[in-house]
Structures are given as C-alpha cells and as structure tokens.
C-alpha cells in the first residue's frame, strides 16, 4: 500500500503533442520528485459522455475518475483556452465531481487545486484561468495562489513535460511546490452543509 499523498492531474486535449497535457505531465513529474504519488487523466481518460445523461456512470472510465478524485489529496487541472475559457472536455469531466456531493469530503473540499491554462495569447490565458478557478471554488477546492499561464504558440514541450522556456519550467515547479506544500500542511476543516435539524 502506498501511503504517500495522491495528486491527481486532469487535462489536455486530443491533439497529438497537446501542450496542456505535456505541461500537466511536467508539473506532476516535479510533484512526484517532491514525494507524492501522481496519476494523470489525459484526454483519452476524460473522453466521457455528457455528465447527467442516462448511462453516463456505466462507463468504467467515469468510475476510475470519480475514484481518483475521491482519494485525491490535491488536484492539478490543465486546459487549453477554447474561445476564451476552459475546454468542454475538462468542464464535463469536472461535472462528474457531482458524484462526490455526499462524501465525507464533498466535491474537492479542502484540497489544493492548481490550474494551468495554455493559449495563444494573454487575454485567453487570463479568462481561462479565471473560469477554472471559479469552478474550483464552486467545488470547494482551494485554488493555489499561482495559476500558470502558458503562451503555447511560443513554447515547445518534450514528452516528459519539460519545456523549451525556463520561465515556464519555473512556473510549473512553483505550482508543484505550492500543491505539495499545501498537502503537507494540517488538514483543513470540512464545512458540513447545515440541515434543518441543526
Ligand atoms: C477550438 C479552439 C478554440 C481556441 N480558442 C482560443 C482563444 O480563444 N484564444 C487563444 O488564445 N487561443 C485559442 N485557441 C488556441 C489554443 O488555446 C491553443 O492552441 C492551446 O495551446 C491548445 O492546447 P493543446 O496544445 O493542449 O491542444 C483555440 C484553439 C482551438 C482548437
């Protein structure tokens, strides 16, 4: 049994060589070197039916995703900017977190969540990071102070997730350190929803 904290990464696109998937891979690799275990859900693993449809939970991929998010001590999200916001692929995957609503730790409660946005310009980087962080708040996660914005038109990643740009590598390193640093802090208190009997 591996007792190290678990960091779950979600993101990327179906495009071969996806920058958002490689940036995510790079960030998780740094986190792993800092002593956590990691698992990456790339575009194939996130290619799920629209959440809420009749049979959406009959897919084993959905069960794997929910199980990993339930166990996660921290999460890293990585998205392209598609028309100024995160991809539908990632948003749909995050909608599956609704299956965690009745958990002891509902949704992403108490977990640090790092966000990475890849775009072709600063405007979409900003709006995409903002929308991702709003979703993290809605899921009761704790967005890290640093959000990583990458101009994918000017950066080349290798398969391990290391980039041609030292500044990008530095940002991914800082994000991994914030995630792992938060995981090693005292657990935060879970706020239970009030019910009529209380
Ligand atoms: C459907 C679509 C919409 C896009 N919209 C934007 C956009 O609004 N702003 C922008 O800067 N880049 C936009 N891009 C460029 C992507 O954000 C950029 O190529 C990103 O790096 C893709 O991620 P990937 O390398 O992981 O596939 C768009 C690309 C696609 C395919």
């Amino acid at each position: 049994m591996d007792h190290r904290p678990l960091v779950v990464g979600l993101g990327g696109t179906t495009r071969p060589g996806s920058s958002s998937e490689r940036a995510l891979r790079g960030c998780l690799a740094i986190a792993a070197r800092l002593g956590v275990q990691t698992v990456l859900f790339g575009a194939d693993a996130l290619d799920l039916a629209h959440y809420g449809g009749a049979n959406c939970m009959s897919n084993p991929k959905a069960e794997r995703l929910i199980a990993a998010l339930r166990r996660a001590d921290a999460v890293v999200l990585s998205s392209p900017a598609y028309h100024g916001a995160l991809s539908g692929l990632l948003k749909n995957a995050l909608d599956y977190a609704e299956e965690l609503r009745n958990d002891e730790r509902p949704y992403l409660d108490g977990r640090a969540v790092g966000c990475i946005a890849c775009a072709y310009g600063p405007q979409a980087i900003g709006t995409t990071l903002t929308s991702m962080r709003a979703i993290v708040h809605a899921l009761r996660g704790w967005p890290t102070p640093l959000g990583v914005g990458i101009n994918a038109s000017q950066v080349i990643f290798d398969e391990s997730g290391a980039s041609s740009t030292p500044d990008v590598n530095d940002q991914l390193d800082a994000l991994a350190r914030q995630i792992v640093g938060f995981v090693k802090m005292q657990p935060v208190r879970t706020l239970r929803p009030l019910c009529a009997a209380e």
Side-chain angles (χ1 to χ4, degrees):
M1 181 86 176
D2 191 338
H3 293 292
R4 292 174 300 165
L6 174 65
V7 178
V8 176
L10 270 55
T13 68
T14 53
R15 198 178 66 75
S18 161
S19 58
S20 48
E21 184 162 326
R22 289 189 172 186
L24 177 60
R25 191 174 301 283
C27 186
L28 293 182
I30 297 164
R33 290 198 287 276
L34 295 170
V36 298
Q37 53 177 322
T38 67
V39 59
L40 189 155
F41 287 79
D44 286 346
L46 301 178
D47 189 10
L48 303 167
H50 286 160
Y51 179 73
N55 298 318
C56 71
M57 286 309 298
S58 62
N59 184 347
K61 288 203 270 187
E63 284 181 19
R64 256 193 83 226
L65 175 65
I66 299 300
L69 289 176
R70 181 168 279 135
R71 276 191 57 215
D73 297 293
V75 175
V76 182
L77 306 176
S78 184
S79 181
Y82 278 0
H83 307 138
L86 75 167
S87 68
L89 184 94
L90 180 59
K91 177 63 170 72
N92 185 49
L94 290 170
D95 288 344
Y96 277 78
E98 185 61 19
E99 295 299 309
L100 307 176
R101 67 183 170 278
N102 293 322
D103 281 20
E104 185 66 24
R105 295 185 305 175
Y107 303 107
L108 300 180
D109 190 279
R111 267 71 62 84
V113 183
C115 295
I116 303 167
C118 293
Y120 279 177
Q123 180 168 299
I125 287 173
T127 54
T128 300
L129 276 177
T130 299
S131 55
M132 293 169 79
R133 291 169 141 201
I135 293 164
V136 173
H137 276 139
L139 292 173
R140 309 187 192 186
W142 293 52
T144 53
L146 178 68
V148 174
I150 297 171
N151 186 334
S153 68
Q154 295 171 3
V155 177
I156 298 168
F157 287 95
D158 68 21
E159 285 186 12
S160 74
S163 95
S164 57
T165 310
D167 175 56
V168 169
N169 295 328
D170 282 350
Q171 284 195 64
L172 294 174
D173 183 88
L175 183 63
R177 287 177 192 283
Q178 289 187 0
I179 286 284
V180 175
F182 194 89
V183 165
K184 291 181 178 173
M185 286 164 62
Q186 291 291 319
V188 294
R189 188 175 71 94
T190 295
L191 182 64
R192 303 298 307 169
L194 292 176
C195 69
E198 290 178 317

